[in-house]
Amino acid sequence: MLGLATVVAACGSSDDSAATPTESVQAPDTTDGETSEPEQASSGRATLTIADGTVYEFVMSSCDTQDTDPSGFPLSNGYDLSGRTADGQFGMSMGRAGLTDDEPVMSGLVEGDFDDQGKNAKMIYSVPSDTVDLTASGRQVNGTLDLRAIGPTRTHGDRSSATLEANC
């Protein structure tokens, strides 16, 4: 994942945010230690539907494709997606980057059950690159992926599948 983060950072990506389930809640602003209204600006929205029926709606902090950032993504199917649910309780990041279509780097993560400061997730699912079938077309990234639990909280079991629909 460090390799993808480095590649994505070199491509102009700017955020490591996460996402939340269908319950739309704003992520708190804790810069002054108090909860205040979150920022409304976003670069898109994404819906992640887990096989068990759970739906996460993410407000994207980063939502780029080859079409929205051609200089940052030389891959024909490159993307950088990251966001959090409105309440800040869940996060998601997916990225496919690289310098050529022959050797792409893919990484993905879904996390939640954060501590009181909105950090240190207990629910962590990795997205193995060989299970990802996402296609970036224009401003959209859609497809399927598998999730594998690596955190102590296994909300969706040890393994699950999901469908992602993102609009940047």
Side-chain angles (χ1 to χ4, degrees):
M1 182 131 143
L2 179 59
L4 177 62
T6 303
V7 171
V8 171
C11 292
S13 175
S14 64
D15 197 80
D16 291 342
S17 298
T20 307
T22 302
E23 306 170 36
S24 294
V25 182
Q26 299 283 1
D29 177 6
T30 58
T31 56
D32 61 0
E34 297 180 18
T35 301
S36 60
E37 289 298 312
E39 294 180 25
Q40 295 296 321
S42 79
S43 59
R45 301 238 180 233
T47 301
L48 183 69
T49 305
I50 310 296
D52 66 10
T54 304
V55 176
Y56 295 97
E57 298 285 340
F58 298 99
V59 176
M60 306 307 288
S61 55
S62 177
C63 194
D64 293 316
T65 68
Q66 201 278 333
D67 284 348
T68 64
D69 185 10
S71 65
F73 292 94
L75 297 180
S76 59
N77 191 34
Y79 48 84
D80 175 29
L81 308 172
S82 61
R84 280 194 181 244
T85 56
D87 64 2
Q89 296 299 306
F90 297 87
M92 179 267 303
S93 64
M94 304 283 162
R96 185 173 188 273
L99 299 176
T100 68
D101 283 318
D102 296 333
E103 296 181 18
V105 177
M106 191 284 162
S107 179
L109 188 67
V110 177
E111 55 187 346
D113 197 11
F114 297 100
D115 63 19
D116 292 340
Q117 287 78 40
K119 300 178 181 178
N120 302 313
K122 292 182 213 154
M123 179 191 93
I124 305 170
Y125 283 91
S126 68
V127 178
S129 61
D130 63 335
T131 71
V132 176
D133 186 15
L134 296 177
T135 301
S137 177
R139 303 180 64 82
Q140 298 181 340
V141 179
N142 299 309
T144 60
L145 51 100
D146 286 345
L147 304 171
R148 292 190 184 150
I150 58 174
T153 304
R154 297 168 186 272
T155 306
H156 307 292
D158 289 338
R159 293 180 182 217
S160 189
S161 59
T163 301
L164 178 70
E165 297 176 8
N167 188 5
C168 297

